Amino acid sequence: MKQPRDIFASMRHQWLRLRPSRPVRYLLAMLLIAMGLFTLIRLTLLMRNLTLLKLGIDNDTWLVVGQVFNGMRFDLAWLAKVWILPLVLLTIAQYIPRHARHIAISAVVMLCIPVALSLIIAIGNIPYFEHFNNHVNAMAMKYMLNDMGDAMGMIAGDISYLCFAIVSIVVAAGFCFVAVRLARHYDIYTPAERRTRTLIAMLIIGAIIPLADRGFILKKHVLQPADGMICNNTFINKLAVNPVEPFLRSLIHLGDTSLHLIDSRHAAAYVRAELGRGENFTEHIEGHSSPWRNVVIILMESTSSEHMAIEGNTQGYTPNLDRLANEGLYYANAYSTGTHTCNAIYSVVTSMPSYVDLHPMQDGSCLSLDSIYEQLHERDELHTLFFITHQPNFDNVRDFVTTQGFERLISLDDYDTTTDHVWGVRDHEMFERTIYELNKLADRDECFAAICLTCTNHVPYLVPDVEGFTPRSSTLEMQALEYADWSLGHFMALASECSWYDETLFVITGDHGSAIGVDYEINESFNHVPLIFYSPKHIAPEVRNDLVSQMDITPTAMSMLGVEYDNHTMGIDLTQHSRRMIPYGADGHIAARDEHWIYNYDVYNDIDFLYDLDAEGDARYINMASTYPDVVSAMYEYVASMVQAGWDMHNNPELIKREPR
């Protein structure tokens, strides 16, 4: 009878005889390590966002567990692509002994670089997701490349961002270190003793890769984000997706400034009919008498309507905004065109939409669009000023606003102060400078149109210690919101003491909102912004439910001022017209909303989302796109036509002067 020692010895002998060769074991070991790291990153994202999970519908624990394992399929699908080249190189190395070492080194390099970069993207995706409730895309890279100094300052200025940046570099470097050490341990630089067995194993792995790319499911297409959608909880659906591949897919379009959502001729004809524009696409607005001579538009950074008491929020962090809403004309259904400040500046100045992931102040032709501000400045009717807190080149603000008719941009360079904060001076300092500049114009009996952009309520948050302001919140994010609101109240108090106060129309809105909770594919709170027309002497308190776009702010304000102008934009005068639908969007998405439906379209992944606003309770958050294809088609045609025609006009303003053929 064999002794246990003999049995174990026999088993060990069989294992040594049958075990995979050294290159195969190396590739499998590195695959398991990479899979483990991606799973750990996904679990970190989950644990840091449990609040989002609880806020959404379909928040079943077993769905989450299933998505964690489903995420491994997405990880494997991505890593399978990365493993192809090292697999081929190590196979070739077995048959070229003289160059085996150099080929193996190349295989290790080809393994380390893409996986290290993938880990950096996946870890960096965590804070991005927490801010946008969506996976990182090429828009983040566009900001990094266009404004590297300010972008790095934003990361360095926020401790959480800095920690994630450091961790991502450490993890990526650690993976590379382990890859090199294991390469030596398995001695992949020397051809295997049994090359035929190695070749067979490599061929088997190669045959499995296409199946892995499909998540081990027999489908005609490779694994896509749509395959991760198993319920109506947007956070759970996005949890499974490995963010690297969608990011790279959007990165392919980084330098592409073309847009092909719908046929351009069809889009132009559709927009003309929708806006009731005829010859020259121009609506001429006649001048008339008005109680106002001036207008001041205030764009509040990252300010969502969901923070306001008038919308049901009970935290009380925006008392000044709430007071102005109660005392002025408040539009309850106002929406930003995008989720970045550049979208708001562009849309308010030009009354045009945002364009998926294109930067409207940098991409395309960036020509003069004969904006309303430009017309008024050329006729010397109004002095046009634009106030910001930070550097003039960030987001290309200086070149853009001066091209579109603003005679002066007052930025960080114009303040007699020094600051090392990425966002420059504090909001209340910008507002005090605004009062100073407008007083100088009023003293000369000159009229003005001014836009002020706040910035303190943006990461990295730096809430100043200023007399008269005491925050109530314990979180830095909410303290920044409180300070921004206090600064608004400070400005209005200073303005009320000026000679031009009663003759000035004040318009207060958000440049965009912020991600609060989980509801639709594009967070409602990210585009739902306050819009207040305020002039206590001339405007009675009123709440209106009209659908309003940021594009409508300037045409409406100028009509209220009584000035004459030609409107050949996509904005409308809310005092004369109304919208049946509004277009808006977010990174990688376009969207439309009417009184009954919200429609979101994921451009890169070709996924439709449709939500019924008339439904009760959680039913409002169920995707009904497959149930109502006609509604999806109609709403897509609307938003795609608006965006396509807008981008065509952006690059060739002459298009507005002729009928489409």
Side-chain angles (χ1 to χ4, degrees):
M1 182 176 180
K2 289 187 177 181
Q3 298 296 319
R5 181 181 300 176
D6 296 333
I7 294 175
F8 286 123
S10 176
M11 291 175 61
R12 183 174 183 276
H13 174 73
Q14 291 298 326
W15 163 248
L16 293 175
R17 189 173 68 86
L18 298 175
R19 70 177 179 177
S21 60
R22 289 177 284 105
V24 175
R25 279 182 283 153
Y26 173 74
L27 290 175
L28 293 177
M30 294 311 302
L31 178 63
L32 290 175
I33 292 171
M35 289 283 292
L37 289 173
F38 276 118
T39 300
L40 184 60
I41 293 169
R42 180 173 290 104
L43 291 174
T44 302
L45 177 65
L46 171 62
M47 298 307 295
R48 288 177 60 92
N49 292 276
L50 288 177
T51 303
L52 295 181
L53 177 65
K54 295 174 183 177
L55 289 175
I57 66 173
D58 294 347
N59 51 5
D60 185 85
T61 301
W62 289 109
L63 287 176
V64 178
V65 173
Q67 281 295 73
V68 171
F69 285 99
N70 194 23
M72 294 180 183
R73 295 169 56 228
F74 281 87
D75 297 338
L76 186 58
W78 166 243
L79 292 172
K81 299 179 180 69
V82 175
W83 253 243
I84 292 175
L85 189 54
L87 177 71
V88 172
L89 289 174
L90 288 179
T91 303
I92 293 174
Q94 308 306 307
Y95 294 91
I96 311 179
R98 181 180 300 179
H99 301 291
R101 180 175 180 81
H102 296 96
I103 296 174
I105 291 174
S106 299
V108 173
V109 172
M110 292 298 100
L111 183 68
C112 287
I113 291 178
V115 175
L117 291 176
S118 297
L119 291 170
I120 290 174
I121 293 170
I123 295 173
N125 175 69
I126 295 176
Y128 187 94
F129 190 97
E130 291 173 357
H131 187 74
F132 290 99
N133 280 1
N134 213 337
H135 291 302
V136 64
N137 78 340
M139 198 67 176
M141 185 61 67
K142 183 168 291 189
Y143 272 100
M144 291 289 291
L145 296 176
N146 290 338
D147 299 287
M148 183 66 72
D150 288 328
M152 295 306 295
M154 183 171 64
I155 294 174
D158 187 288
I159 186 64
S160 62
Y161 283 16
L162 186 60
C163 287
F164 276 107
I166 293 173
V167 169
S168 68
I169 294 172
V170 170
V171 171
F175 178 86
C176 295
F177 176 78
V178 171
V180 173
R181 290 296 298 268
L182 286 182
R184 293 174 180 171
H185 174 74
Y186 287 109
D187 190 22
I188 65 171
Y189 308 114
T190 304
E193 297 81 2
R194 302 176 179 178
R195 291 184 298 181
T196 302
R197 178 181 294 179
T198 300
L199 176 62
I200 293 173
M202 294 293 198
L203 290 174
I204 292 174
I205 294 174
I208 293 175
I209 285 178
L211 189 59
D213 198 27
R214 285 163 171 75
F216 291 100
I217 294 178
L218 296 177
K219 290 187 175 182
K220 294 182 179 180
H221 63 265
V222 298
L223 201 63
Q224 297 175 353
D227 297 312
M229 295 184 178
I230 62 173
C231 63
N232 288 289
N233 187 303
T234 57
F235 176 64
I236 293 177
N237 288 338
K238 293 171 183 176
L239 183 64
V241 177
N242 184 304
V244 178
E245 193 165 359
F247 172 76
L248 295 178
R249 192 179 300 127
S250 70
L251 201 62
I252 294 174
H253 302 280
L254 187 62
D256 183 6
T257 59
S258 62
L259 194 63
H260 306 289
L261 296 173
I262 198 169
D263 179 74
S264 290
R265 288 175 296 180
H266 176 84
Y270 184 96
V271 171
R272 286 176 181 273
E274 179 68 25
L275 298 180
R277 305 285 174 81
E279 187 178 357
N280 294 335
F281 194 70
T282 298
E283 178 187 23
H284 181 73
I285 307 299
E286 295 286 351
H288 58 84
S289 61
S290 168
W292 300 290
R293 301 179 66 212
N294 318 298
V295 60
V296 176
I297 299 174
I298 300 174
L299 295 175
M300 302 287 291
E301 171 65 46
S302 302
T303 301
S304 172
S305 294
E306 313 304 321
H307 287 300
M308 299 175 62
I310 199 170
E311 296 290 346
N313 192 300
T314 59
Q315 292 177 314
Y317 292 148
T318 59
N320 292 289
L321 198 58
D322 292 331
R323 177 181 61 83
L324 296 173
N326 288 325
E327 296 177 358
L329 171 58
Y330 177 73
Y331 283 92
N333 288 313
Y335 286 78
S336 64
T337 60
T339 56
H340 295 283
T341 301
C342 63
N343 302 129
I345 296 175
Y346 178 81
S347 294
V348 171
V349 169
T350 67
S351 299
M352 299 289 280
S354 60
Y355 309 112
V356 196
D357 288 342
L358 294 166
H359 193 305
M361 300 198 304
Q362 293 178 332
D363 293 336
S365 300
C366 291
L367 302 170
S368 165
L369 295 176
D370 194 22
S371 70
I372 297 173
Y373 295 99
E374 190 172 2
Q375 296 174 44
L376 299 178
H377 174 58
E378 288 177 350
R379 297 203 303 263
D380 202 26
E381 285 191 44
L382 292 172
H383 288 277
T384 49
L385 302 90
F386 203 107
F387 295 86
I388 60 176
T389 64
H390 49 73
Q391 294 285 353
N393 292 326
F394 185 79
D395 261 348
N396 197 37
V397 174
R398 176 165 52 193
D399 289 346
F400 174 75
V401 300
T402 52
T403 300
Q404 302 304 326
F406 282 84
E407 61 188 75
R408 288 189 63 195
L409 172 69
I410 293 85
S411 63
L412 181 59
D413 294 347
D414 298 293
Y415 292 88
D416 297 326
T417 185
T418 57
T419 176
D420 57 357
H421 193 261
V422 64
W423 301 131
V425 300
R426 306 294 87 199
D427 292 347
H428 76 276
E429 295 174 302
M430 178 197 70
F431 280 135
E432 289 170 357
R433 179 58 180 267
T434 303
I435 294 292
Y436 170 76
E437 294 290 347
L438 299 185
N439 277 339
K440 287 200 304 182
L441 292 173
D443 289 343
R444 300 197 301 265
D445 196 33
E446 295 178 328
C447 303
F448 53 80
I451 296 180
C452 302
L453 172 66
T454 70
C455 210
T456 301
N457 192 27
H458 191 297
V459 290
Y461 303 115
L462 182 61
V463 180
D465 182 10
V466 56
E467 183 180 355
F469 170 65
T470 303
R472 297 170 48 248
S473 173
S474 59
T475 67
L476 192 59
E477 180 181 2
M478 289 298 101
Q479 289 178 7
L481 175 65
E482 288 185 81
Y483 166 73
D485 180 78
W486 176 86
S487 296
L488 173 63
H490 178 63
F491 171 73
M492 296 305 297
L494 293 176
S496 66
E497 299 175 357
C498 298
S499 61
W500 44 268
Y501 180 72
D502 288 338
E503 298 178 318
T504 300
L505 173 66
F506 296 92
V507 184
I508 302 97
T509 188
D511 66 338
H512 53 77
S514 56
I516 304 171
V518 175
D519 41 38
Y520 308 113
E521 173 65 13
I522 300 176
N523 271 69
E524 177 85 347
S525 60
F526 232 135
N527 293 91
H528 189 200
V529 293
L531 177 58
I532 305 165
F533 287 83
Y534 184 80
S535 178
K537 187 175 180 180
H538 306 292
I539 296 179
E542 182 184 1
V543 176
R544 298 192 62 173
N545 293 314
D546 309 52
L547 291 169
V548 179
S549 168
Q550 275 179 335
M551 298 186 289
D552 306 329
I553 291 176
T554 291
T556 302
M558 294 307 172
S559 291
M560 293 174 71
L561 251 64
V563 297
E564 180 183 359
Y565 66 90
D566 288 330
N567 182 14
H568 32 237
T569 73
M570 294 190 184
I572 65 171
D573 173 10
L574 296 171
T575 67
Q576 301 294 324
H577 307 290
S578 61
R579 289 185 178 273
R580 68 180 183 92
M581 203 180 301
I582 49 172
Y584 60 100
D587 289 348
H589 294 73
I590 56 175
R593 180 188 179 106
D594 64 14
E595 294 180 353
H596 306 288
W597 302 96
I598 288 179
Y599 170 69
N600 298 164
Y601 176 64
D602 185 335
V603 175
Y604 297 124
N605 298 303
D606 190 26
I607 306 173
D608 295 301
F609 300 87
L610 184 69
Y611 304 99
D612 184 359
L613 294 175
D614 296 327
E616 298 292 334
D618 289 346
R620 290 168 59 95
Y621 309 114
I622 296 175
N623 184 10
M624 306 295 290
S626 60
T627 308
Y628 297 98
D630 292 343
V631 177
V632 168
S633 177
M635 297 190 83
Y636 176 83
E637 182 181 28
Y638 174 87
V639 63
S641 296
M642 288 286 177
V643 174
Q644 186 68 56
W647 186 243
D648 294 339
M649 290 163 59
H650 173 94
N651 289 286
N652 184 4
E654 292 300 313
L655 288 176
I656 65 176
K657 297 181 180 179
R658 58 175 180 268
E659 293 279 355
R661 295 181 180 178

